[in-house]
Amino acid sequence: MTGDRMLHMMRAVTLRVVLVAVSVSLPASLAAQGSGVATYKSMPLEDLGNIIVTSVSKEPAEISQTPAAIYVLTHDDLARSGATSVADALRLVPGVEVARIDTSRNWVVGIRGFGDQFSKSVLVLIDGRTAYTPLWAGVHWPIQDTLLEDVERIEVIRGPGGTIWGANAENGVINIITRKASDTHGIYASAATGTVEHAIAGVRVGGGNGRGLDYRAYIKGINRAPQFHTDGREFDTWASGQAGMRIDWTRGRDQLTVQGDAYKSKLGESVEVSTYAPPARFLVDDPVDLSGANVVAKWHRTLPNRADVTVRSYVDHTYRLGTDFGERRTTIDVDAVHHWFPAPRHEMVWGAGARTSPSKIIQTYSFSNFDPHEETLNIFSAFAQDAATLVEKRLVATVGVKLEHNSYTGAEVQPSARVMWTPSDNATVWGGVTRAVRVPSRVDEDITVESLFQVTPSVIYGAIVGNRELESERVLGTEVGYRALLRPALYLDVAAFHNDYDNIVDLGKPESRTQTTDGLTYLAVRFPWTNSISGTTRGFEVAPKWQPADRLELRGSYSFIDLQLPPTPPPSTPSTLPTLKATPSHQVVGQAMITLPHGLQVDPVYRYVSSRASQNIPPYHTADVRVAFDMGKGLALAVSGQNLLQAHHAEWLRAPGPAVEIKRSVYVRLIWKR
Amino acid sequence: MVLATVAACITVAPVASAADATREYQVKAAYVFNFANFAELPAAAFAAASAPFEICAVGKSKWGTALDETVRNEQVGGHPMRVVYDPPAARVRSCHILIVGADVDEVGLLEAVKGAPVLTVGESADFLPRGGILRFVLEQGRVRFDVNAKAAAAAGISLNARLLQVAREVQQ
């Protein structure tokens, strides 16, 4: 086999398999308007609600006191970003790489390296539900949607989060928290239309009885248009509908929450298919059918002495049917957490959980299969963490460990140690060492996917095959960080990291054998997944926020990462290394949030992403702008332009075919609230 | 597990508040002053015609001197206004306004004042569902408040229509 041909084939196969596929409270001394207390007291009650008291990005107080690299997108940040999906909003977060492949395929979302359509090292939680599929150990963002208006905040923790969050938080955690039902009373209706966002509409209705029972329900629909294709194959359409509800019941010390969502989507996909009778290989452009539903129940009790206990359980059902294969999966999870103060200066959290996730594969063609078709992943876990205050208000040490037993790799131990020093009221220095793992997925363990390589002189198929002997990928992460309010309106957050990885999965040495499928006898060159790559990533993120005036907030970030991985093998050897190395070294975000009188908001964003050299994706600069106007009577109008600096640009290469380019787009949104 | 738990657990107590109250708390103090004027407490709430109108603030203080400065030399219905910080639990039922910080056991405090004519003012998301009467909320960088009208009625407090009109939301 010639090298290039083989590489192309294996890339195609690999990719197909894939298938599937603080703000800062401003001290009064800074206040520009009036002389404080006396002025406010003499103002009419009606006017007090117009005073801008703080930046719109106010972070919860505990964030500035967390010994980890954490960044929060608030409800207002999300609205002002103009983003129409959680994944796109994450472009504003330092240390996070987001790439759109086309309209309908999964977003590439990575934290501190290894971003991929099938990113495996980022854990995503939505109100405590793991939004992660054990099919390929990643998050399928298009089905993890909600009404963005009902999201309270998104917390992004860069770095291994293994201790509390369990496996697969190897590079970070994204925690999406929706609003309590008591915060979403009334009617919210929104309709948007634009060049790529053909139609997005959502309605939410909420209420309560004033005695602790609150509820909401929503419905949402999306229709998106294809991006720019140099070859004209506009397969990437998006049509989906979703509905959901939440009920919060509060009585004394107890709170019960029941929430759920159900969705149905058709997402455009292009798949390379191989057949045996006759031996052939061709592209099929056909949408993937996706549907599912989840229900989460949570009980929270506040105990005396600031302690509390939470028990949560959820059921999550997913269904997928694509050209290459289908899967039906139901995940059932229960966990309990107790948070208490066992002794003076000690704050403890411990808990335990169990999860079972049976999956059933639907085979569509002979070329791709999972063996066995039915398999259940079981996970049992327990963790404990103690935060010890060594010097009152100044020095805290945190140690913790999580034990997990899963049906793929058995027992996994993930310890963590962190220290936080608060030298003054306005500055925090923190550091930590964490060991975390990523357990194998069904694609790693059970898959076989073949692709026709040559017909003459003899028929040869190349194959990727799962390996049931795989071990977990491991990382040992070392991090340090510094956060400070440098001046009354200038906040700085800096973090640096060094991560050592072992056991990263690559394709190993092939073995050839003669086999027969659909009556055709041929030579199969089989490449098994193996734990063969070790590597190091290191880098830093700098993220200042500055509020030079009441009505102007400036934010920015610069993220740098250096990947030290083994050399990419010659093109004759298929490998995951080109994808692992695709992370851009430099990313810059500059953002202004301008709040003008009469409810006018102007929010420009500038973004720079350096090249993805291993994919031949050039660097790009682009910009987004949102302008919103409050028309009164509960009506608001917003115009958002995205990717404005060029007609289209590529963000990610997804073979077969040339990279799809992401278009400049504009949409208009009308919002009505009552 | 939600970050809230985690943050709580890997968090030290918040650092001491700056000597100055933030503008946020200066505005909240002005709101509290207005609440006192636009809420009508039953006469039984006062031991005597000249008894003070007590504003009690519980929790790590973010108020600096904002509350004291706002109510200094002021009175409401002939009752001189006074600020009391972190009153003992046995005394909270005699407060007229009880401001509950986000970092305290609000369930315990709300239980302690149940049935008493105390105008409760909170800051946490659960305050109204738990039976609190008024709750501050930050919206687009501005201070607004929500009202639980049922809880006010249960405490025997009548809220002026103007207060209800300014509220972001009145839960009936």
Side-chain angles (χ1 to χ4, degrees):
Chain A
M1 298 187 185
T2 67
D4 283 299
R5 181 98 166 86
M6 187 67 196
L7 173 73
H8 172 78
M9 181 193 85
M10 294 315 300
R11 288 283 293 282
V13 172
T14 312
L15 291 164
R16 163 154 21 88
V17 166
V18 180
L19 39 183
V20 220
V22 189
S23 113
V24 184
S25 301
L26 299 176
S29 52
L30 189 84
Q33 58 192 87
S35 61
V37 172
T39 313
Y40 303 142
K41 187 175 131 185
S42 62
M43 287 171 72
L45 176 60
E46 288 76 7
D47 291 349
L48 287 174
N50 294 327
I51 300 166
I52 298 175
V53 295
T54 177
S55 106
V56 290
S57 63
K58 184 174 175 64
E59 289 170 12
E62 67 263 30
I63 296 306
S64 67
Q65 296 293 304
T66 302
I70 183 166
Y71 192 90
V72 176
L73 290 172
T74 64
H75 178 262
D76 284 333
D77 294 342
L78 281 173
R80 299 188 73 155
S81 73
T84 54
S85 65
V86 169
D88 275 325
L90 295 172
R91 293 177 191 269
L92 300 174
V93 180
V96 176
E97 58 165 315
V98 176
R100 227 171 154 170
I101 300 166
D102 52 36
T103 288
S104 56
R105 278 148 162 181
N106 197 18
W107 275 267
V108 173
V109 177
I111 299 180
R112 290 180 171 173
F114 306 148
D116 184 8
Q117 182 180 6
F118 306 100
S119 294
K120 292 166 181 163
S121 45
V122 175
L123 180 61
V124 178
L125 299 169
I126 302 174
D127 288 332
R129 173 174 61 88
T130 298
Y132 144 93
T133 172
L135 177 60
W136 45 273
V139 177
H140 192 208
W141 289 93
I143 63 169
Q144 303 297 346
D145 197 14
T146 187
L147 201 61
L148 284 187
E149 167 67 16
D150 290 345
V151 174
E152 172 69 24
R153 64 183 193 277
I154 300 172
E155 302 166 342
V156 180
I157 297 140
R158 286 119 56 201
T163 298
I164 286 293
W165 291 281
N168 303 314
E170 213 184 354
N171 279 13
V173 178
I174 297 171
N175 205 3
I176 300 166
I177 298 157
T178 68
R179 307 196 114 180
K180 293 182 180 253
S182 56
D183 281 335
T184 54
H185 286 185
I187 299 173
Y188 168 91
S190 147
T193 184
T195 55
V196 172
E197 306 287 0
H198 270 181
I200 304 180
V203 177
R204 179 250 292 144
V205 177
N209 72 353
R211 289 198 303 263
L213 182 70
D214 298 281
Y215 58 86
R216 71 162 172 261
Y218 75 90
I219 185 161
K220 175 178 182 174
I222 296 177
N223 189 307
R224 295 190 164 120
Q227 301 289 349
F228 179 77
H229 297 250
T230 50
D231 58 3
R233 289 170 42 239
E234 297 191 333
F235 57 84
D236 51 327
T237 53
W238 175 317
S240 66
Q242 178 164 339
M245 50 66 77
R246 173 167 173 157
I247 296 169
D248 289 315
W249 187 53
T250 303
R251 196 182 164 92
R253 299 187 168 274
D254 294 298
Q255 287 181 290
L256 185 67
T257 299
V258 178
Q259 62 188 103
D261 309 278
Y263 62 87
K264 195 165 170 51
S265 306
K266 252 189 195 313
L267 299 179
E269 178 63 285
S270 177
V271 173
E272 195 183 68
V273 168
S274 288
T275 56
Y276 301 86
R281 195 178 69 194
F282 48 92
L283 281 176
V284 175
D285 292 352
D286 197 29
V288 181
D289 284 313
L290 296 150
S291 62
N294 64 76
V295 178
V296 183
K298 184 181 93 167
W299 171 65
H300 177 87
R301 167 167 273 197
T302 309
L303 303 172
N305 303 317
R306 293 189 294 148
D308 55 74
V309 61
T310 306
V311 179
R312 183 194 328 262
S313 180
Y314 64 81
V315 180
D316 192 350
H317 177 76
T318 59
Y319 168 79
R320 168 195 197 276
L321 185 61
T323 303
D324 43 8
F325 74 91
E327 191 207 33
R328 235 180 243 292
R329 176 181 290 275
T330 304
T331 301
I332 301 167
D333 181 284
V334 58
D335 58 56
V337 179
H338 180 208
H339 162 228
W340 58 306
F341 297 81
R345 298 187 162 207
H346 284 272
E347 182 169 5
M348 183 125 189
V349 180
W350 59 1
R355 181 181 307 165
T356 182
S357 185
S359 131
K360 181 177 182 178
I361 296 295
I362 304 157
Q363 192 177 5
T364 53
Y365 276 88
S366 300
F367 78 90
S368 102
N369 197 16
F370 286 71
D371 181 28
H373 275 199
E374 291 184 38
E375 189 178 62
T376 299
L377 171 66
N378 293 312
I379 299 176
F380 301 94
S381 60
F383 73 90
Q385 180 168 288
D386 180 42
T389 302
L390 305 178
V391 179
E392 195 64 44
K393 288 181 181 173
R394 290 291 178 249
L395 191 62
V396 178
T398 306
V399 291
V401 65
K402 177 141 190 162
L403 307 171
E404 178 179 294
H405 188 279
N406 69 78
S407 37
Y408 287 137
T409 61
E412 300 287 353
V413 182
Q414 302 181 83
S416 168
R418 285 173 187 268
V419 64
M420 182 170 65
W421 177 44
T422 315
S424 78
D425 290 351
N426 292 331
T428 305
V429 179
W430 59 269
V433 180
T434 309
R435 184 179 184 280
V437 304
R438 197 277 288 177
V439 301
S441 65
R442 284 210 76 180
V443 165
D444 296 321
E445 298 259 328
D446 304 333
I447 200 168
T448 301
V449 54
E450 298 191 335
S451 181
L452 177 62
F453 170 63
Q454 68 172 42
V455 180
T456 54
S458 58
V459 180
I460 300 176
Y461 283 75
I464 289 175
V465 291
N467 176 359
R468 298 190 76 87
E469 306 297 313
L470 281 182
E471 292 175 30
S472 291
E473 292 183 359
R474 302 174 203 292
V475 61
L476 182 68
T478 309
E479 306 169 80
V480 291
Y482 171 70
R483 272 187 290 257
L485 191 59
L486 297 177
R487 312 260 305 263
L490 179 62
Y491 174 80
L492 180 67
D493 186 344
V494 182
F497 62 94
H498 180 111
N499 291 335
D500 284 317
Y501 294 85
D502 268 317
N503 282 350
I504 295 177
V505 171
D506 197 1
L507 290 163
K509 285 201 172 63
E511 47 178 65
S512 300
R513 71 183 201 198
T514 302
Q515 58 188 42
T516 302
T517 305
D518 295 347
L520 175 76
T521 300
Y522 56 93
L523 184 71
V525 184
R526 296 159 58 86
F527 294 84
W529 294 117
T530 52
N531 295 110
S532 56
I533 298 177
S534 295
T536 298
T537 62
R538 54 191 186 177
F540 62 89
E541 299 102 15
V542 182
K545 289 183 183 177
W546 183 37
Q547 188 165 19
D550 281 351
R551 297 185 175 281
L552 174 64
E553 180 175 342
L554 301 172
R555 298 183 191 180
S557 66
Y558 169 65
S559 306
F560 169 75
I561 185 167
D562 173 40
L563 303 154
Q564 295 183 320
L565 290 165
T568 306
S572 55
T573 311
S575 169
T576 55
L577 278 164
T579 302
L580 291 170
K581 290 180 176 179
T583 299
S585 300
H586 310 274
Q587 291 197 100
V588 177
V589 176
Q591 192 181 2
M593 298 164 106
I594 306 161
T595 307
L596 298 168
H598 310 297
L600 187 64
Q601 297 176 332
V602 181
D603 304 309
V605 177
Y606 163 82
R607 296 183 276 118
Y608 168 74
V609 177
S610 68
S611 69
R612 296 182 187 270
S614 68
Q615 298 192 330
N616 292 320
I617 300 285
Y620 68 88
H621 301 256
T622 196
D624 310 321
V625 180
R626 169 182 175 272
V627 178
F629 175 61
D630 185 347
M631 300 188 289
K633 298 192 172 173
L635 277 173
L637 185 72
V639 180
S640 291
Q642 289 164 322
N643 304 308
L644 293 174
L645 298 191
Q646 59 282 104
H648 39 79
H649 69 279
E651 298 188 355
W652 186 263
L653 175 66
R654 208 287 202 185
V660 178
E661 305 207 356
I662 305 307
K663 288 177 180 172
R664 174 189 293 142
S665 66
V666 177
Y667 72 85
V668 182
R669 180 185 293 260
L670 188 65
I671 294 168
W672 180 62
K673 285 189 214 185
R674 230 191 82 163
Chain B
M1 327 298 110
V2 293
L3 177 71
T5 317
V6 175
C9 115
I10 47 185
T11 293
V12 259
V15 288
S17 58
D20 283 313
T22 58
R23 189 189 303 175
E24 176 186 337
Y25 279 85
Q26 295 182 348
V27 170
K28 284 179 176 175
Y31 268 115
V32 170
F33 176 68
N34 277 281
F35 296 159
N37 283 289
F38 288 108
E40 197 179 316
L41 273 60
F46 299 92
S50 61
F53 185 103
E54 288 195 341
I55 298 172
C56 303
V58 186
K60 205 141 280 168
S61 184
K62 295 169 178 165
W63 297 97
T65 56
L67 269 178
D68 296 280
E69 284 178 41
T70 303
V71 307
R72 186 177 297 148
N73 300 327
E74 293 287 351
Q75 53 176 6
V76 46
H79 304 282
M81 296 175 86
R82 207 174 83 176
V83 184
V84 180
Y85 295 98
D86 291 315
R91 265 206 54 192
V92 292
R93 286 179 74 86
S94 63
C95 296
H96 300 100
I97 291 181
L98 177 65
I99 308 172
V100 183
D103 58 333
V104 300
D105 174 16
E106 63 182 20
V107 177
L109 280 167
L110 287 170
E111 270 171 15
V113 300
K114 203 166 189 178
V118 179
L119 183 67
T120 50
V121 180
E123 304 200 77
S124 91
D126 295 320
F127 195 70
L128 298 195
R130 283 176 166 152
I133 299 171
L134 297 167
R135 171 213 167 194
F136 286 125
V137 55
L138 281 181
E139 192 177 70
Q140 301 192 349
R142 296 156 169 91
V143 181
R144 307 288 307 275
F145 64 93
D146 294 340
V147 180
N148 182 339
K150 274 205 179 108
I157 296 170
S158 73
L159 300 174
N160 186 292
R162 192 167 151 204
L163 193 67
L164 299 179
Q165 208 155 26
V166 173
R168 185 184 73 146
E169 188 190 327
V170 179
Q171 304 184 1
Q172 298 294 344

